[in-house]
Amino acid sequence: MLFSYVKTAVFSHTYPFSTMTSFFQSLVENTPSYIFYTASVILSLALISISHCFYFRLITKLYNLPPGTMGYFPLIGETLTFLKLKEKFTFQRHSKYGRVYKTHIFGSPTVRVCGSDNIRTLMMGDTKILQVFWPPSTQSLVGSHSLAVSSGECHRQHKSLILKTMTPSKLKSHLDHFQTTASEKIESWINSGIIDPVQQCRDMTVRSVIKYFIRNDLSESVIEKLINEITTFEKNLMSIPLNIPGTGFYKSMKARAEICSIIQSVLCQNNKDTKCQAQSKDFLNSLHSMLQENRDGNVEKKIEDSILEIIFAGNLTTTVASFSTLYLLANHPKVLQKLREELNEFGLMSPDGIHYPIVTQDHIPKLNYLQCVFKEILRRLPPVGGVYRKVLKPFQLEGYTIPANWRVVCSIRDQHIGDCTFDNPMTFNPDRWLETADDHSAFDFIPFGAASRRCVGKDFARLSILYTILELARRAQWKMQPSTVKIDFIPAPKPMEEMTATFERYKHE
């Protein structure tokens, strides 16, 4: 009988297949569903684990990989350890392995890099070898025409257009925007007495972005709607890109559509309203006119993506820098006092606490200590933790080979507060910037990135933060409760517990 079955199995083309099909169909139908699915998951994980081990054994033999560990679990790697230790994870590994080490986080084999020469190599690197990398959800939300997603000639041309709308001369002609935004918000904090510093810094920043890049005389109801939609939009920039009702990504895509609808409505209103002040429609209409002059296709789509990218890139980072200003200056009263002394030397303090002199474009370059405080805030608590790249072709770094399809992270935070760049890096000391910095590379301090991917909104953010520091110093006295907190650095610095700030007017004697 057994011989007969084997004979049939060998010489028949249908019977063995139908028998096996019937067998597996019967197995599926007679096995409880939870056992079947559990077994399927276990089998899948086992296959992934085997593939994972085989891949890393093979690639280790082929290449001289950087030192480090990849974790014990497929796909997960060291992700859980990274999320648990946060910034300590990178410090411990840089201390153990050096400036270049490998790990496996968020589903990808990754090499983290610090050291100004290494960062320069990566940021100035060949685009045929390295490619800017963002999660699929971020790419979908900021749009295909955004600078973050584009590359090559397309990136160069679009960046050139946006930079023309934000030249230093144009920004300086609108210094009243930065001074008014900061002073009005800080006055409201003084009048309120007690505020939520994280929420209020965010509100100040998003209002500044809306009024400068969309229109400065929008009604309060439109501003509030935009703030709510922007909040939803930002929450799921890095999420699972499932655009189905109920998911965070779906909510963010819906918020994106609402923001774009308002942008188009404002642009239409600007074109019809001949009485509209030039300043109120400066950026939006300037960009629209340039795109039309260049006869670019998809003008409306490019405008939407440009504004959304500015919201994505500028809002979060400037909010973080504003909070960091409150937090660091509250804990370093001697620095705050020295800053006030400089402002007083230039006649910018208010003896009566009512009349505050206007800070002109001639003042800013002369306020050396203000510039030092600005730099030290961005060094000590850099808003952006790192720059991410995808490896297209294997390349060498410090004698190690970085394989294709791996991720490379140029760690800005590690560079700023690691032991390899600045003396006593954990100490908040603006005076360090008064000293000669001939021994420092241009890639030692990179809060806004570098090379062709440097943030296009750098000058806007710089003026926003400078005026926030300046107006805080001359108008307010404040305390943070609690005075010190643990900072969560993922994805950007924020306190790990709720904080309040108590404000009162500063009276200069």
Side-chain angles (χ1 to χ4, degrees):
M1 182 176 178
L2 178 61
F3 176 77
S4 176
Y5 174 79
V6 173
K7 181 180 178 181
T8 305
V10 172
F11 294 104
S12 171
H13 296 287
T14 57
Y15 180 73
F17 179 77
S18 60
T19 301
M20 291 172 65
T21 303
S22 299
F23 170 76
F24 283 112
Q25 183 178 357
S26 175
L27 180 65
V28 171
E29 290 176 351
N30 296 325
T31 302
S33 59
Y34 70 91
I35 295 178
F36 178 77
Y37 289 122
T38 301
S40 299
V41 170
I42 293 173
L43 179 60
S44 299
L45 289 175
L47 292 173
I48 292 172
S49 297
I50 293 170
S51 302
H52 180 268
C53 294
F54 178 78
Y55 169 76
F56 285 114
R57 284 187 180 182
L58 177 63
I59 207 165
T60 301
K61 290 182 179 180
L62 291 175
Y63 299 121
N64 178 31
L65 299 176
T69 59
M70 308 300 285
Y72 298 103
F73 303 101
L75 299 180
I76 297 174
E78 295 190 298
T79 302
L80 298 179
T81 306
F82 177 79
L83 293 174
K84 179 181 179 182
L85 296 178
K86 302 196 182 224
E87 74 277 7
K88 291 182 181 179
F89 179 92
T90 58
F91 291 151
Q92 288 177 359
R93 279 153 179 76
H94 275 309
S95 176
K96 183 176 181 179
Y97 300 118
R99 302 191 306 172
V100 180
Y101 72 88
K102 69 176 183 290
T103 181
H104 193 291
I105 54 175
F106 301 119
S108 300
T110 302
V111 174
R112 290 188 68 96
V113 176
C114 70
S116 57
D117 52 339
N118 289 331
I119 290 177
R120 184 184 187 282
T121 298
L122 295 172
M123 290 191 172
M124 303 288 287
D126 189 344
T127 55
K128 295 180 181 179
I129 296 175
L130 294 169
Q131 183 183 69
V132 172
F133 171 76
W134 290 102
S137 59
T138 306
Q139 295 182 38
S140 298
L141 286 167
V142 299
S144 58
H145 295 288
S146 64
L147 290 173
V149 174
S150 61
S151 59
E153 185 63 18
C154 179
H155 175 269
R156 188 193 67 78
Q157 290 181 359
H158 193 44
K159 182 177 182 179
S160 176
L161 282 177
I162 293 180
L163 286 175
K164 287 179 182 178
T165 65
M166 288 193 290
T167 60
S169 59
K170 285 189 177 183
L171 287 168
K172 286 179 180 178
S173 68
H174 295 316
L175 286 183
D176 58 323
H177 166 82
F178 301 101
Q179 186 160 6
T180 300
T181 299
S183 60
E184 287 182 353
K185 197 63 179 177
I186 292 166
E187 285 294 324
S188 73
W189 296 349
I190 294 170
N191 293 332
S192 298
I194 300 176
I195 66 165
D196 177 339
V198 176
Q199 180 59 39
Q200 287 299 314
C201 285
R202 186 182 184 284
D203 186 78
M204 176 174 63
T205 299
V206 73
R207 285 175 180 272
S208 177
V209 168
I210 289 170
K211 290 184 176 183
Y212 189 89
F213 291 104
I214 299 180
R215 182 162 168 157
N216 72 352
D217 58 352
L218 292 174
S219 67
E220 185 62 25
S221 61
V222 173
I223 291 175
E224 287 294 336
K225 179 173 177 55
L226 274 169
I227 290 174
N228 291 333
E229 298 297 348
I230 290 170
T231 301
T232 303
F233 171 79
E234 290 179 339
K235 278 183 179 179
N236 302 285
L237 279 166
M238 296 183 184
S239 59
I240 299 174
L242 292 176
N243 195 18
I244 56 177
T247 64
F249 182 75
Y250 175 84
K251 294 176 182 177
S252 287
M253 287 296 288
K254 189 175 179 181
R256 174 195 161 90
E258 290 292 335
I259 296 169
C260 291
S261 176
I262 293 173
I263 291 171
Q264 292 302 333
S265 175
V266 171
L267 188 59
C268 181
Q269 182 182 352
N270 286 350
N271 292 334
K272 291 180 179 179
D273 187 1
T274 56
K275 296 181 181 180
C276 179
Q277 296 179 1
Q279 182 180 345
S280 70
K281 59 178 184 179
D282 185 69
F283 177 83
L284 199 56
N285 273 34
S286 293
L287 183 59
H288 185 260
S289 298
M290 287 181 184
L291 288 170
Q292 286 184 322
E293 288 172 6
N294 285 11
R295 296 180 179 178
D296 284 347
N298 298 320
V299 172
E300 285 75 18
K301 183 71 168 60
K302 288 181 178 180
I303 287 176
E304 292 170 1
D305 289 356
S306 298
I307 298 294
L308 284 161
E309 181 171 36
I310 287 168
I311 291 170
F312 158 59
N315 186 39
L316 178 62
T317 53
T318 310
T319 296
V320 168
S322 298
F323 168 78
S324 299
T325 298
L326 284 175
Y327 181 68
L328 291 169
L329 290 183
N331 284 288
H332 296 86
K334 290 183 179 179
V335 171
L336 186 55
Q337 182 56 36
K338 188 171 181 177
L339 178 57
R340 286 168 173 160
E341 289 171 2
E342 179 180 70
L343 296 177
N344 190 48
E345 288 177 11
F346 285 87
L348 297 176
M349 297 299 288
S350 172
D352 58 7
I354 300 175
H355 301 94
Y356 292 90
I358 296 174
V359 181
T360 68
Q361 59 180 328
D362 295 328
H363 286 121
I364 297 295
K366 297 176 182 178
L367 296 168
N368 293 330
Y369 197 67
L370 173 65
Q371 306 288 345
C372 292
V373 172
F374 165 77
K375 288 182 178 180
E376 187 66 356
I377 289 170
L378 295 186
R379 184 200 68 82
R380 183 61 187 83
L381 292 175
V384 178
V387 177
Y388 301 83
R389 298 287 187 266
K390 180 181 178 179
V391 182
L392 301 178
K393 295 181 180 180
F395 72 98
Q396 298 283 320
L397 191 67
E398 287 199 1
Y400 303 113
T401 300
I402 317 298
N405 297 317
W406 282 36
R407 307 287 184 262
V408 178
V409 180
C410 304
S411 184
I412 294 174
R413 187 173 299 116
D414 297 349
Q415 183 68 11
H416 284 188
I417 58 179
D419 293 331
C420 61
T421 310
F422 296 96
D423 295 331
N424 301 315
M426 302 304 289
T427 302
F428 181 73
N429 177 26
D431 287 70
R432 74 172 77 243
W433 297 100
L434 293 171
E435 302 169 0
T436 303
D438 294 338
D439 57 333
H440 281 299
S441 160
F443 290 84
D444 283 342
F445 179 67
I446 47 173
F448 298 106
S452 64
R453 290 284 173 173
R454 176 175 289 184
C455 175
V456 292
K458 175 180 72 71
D459 291 327
F460 176 87
R462 177 177 170 274
L463 287 172
S464 294
I465 299 164
L466 282 172
Y467 271 97
T468 299
I469 297 169
L470 190 152
E471 295 298 338
L472 275 169
R474 65 179 188 162
R475 291 175 184 269
Q477 189 70 34
W478 70 98
K479 291 182 179 180
M480 307 285 279
Q481 292 294 332
S483 58
T484 58
V485 293
K486 290 184 178 181
I487 302 294
D488 182 3
F489 290 93
I490 300 175
K494 58 183 178 297
M496 295 180 68
E497 55 187 286
E498 290 187 4
M499 299 188 75
T500 59
T502 304
F503 272 79
E504 61 183 21
R505 186 171 302 283
Y506 174 72
K507 297 179 181 179
H508 178 67
E509 297 179 359

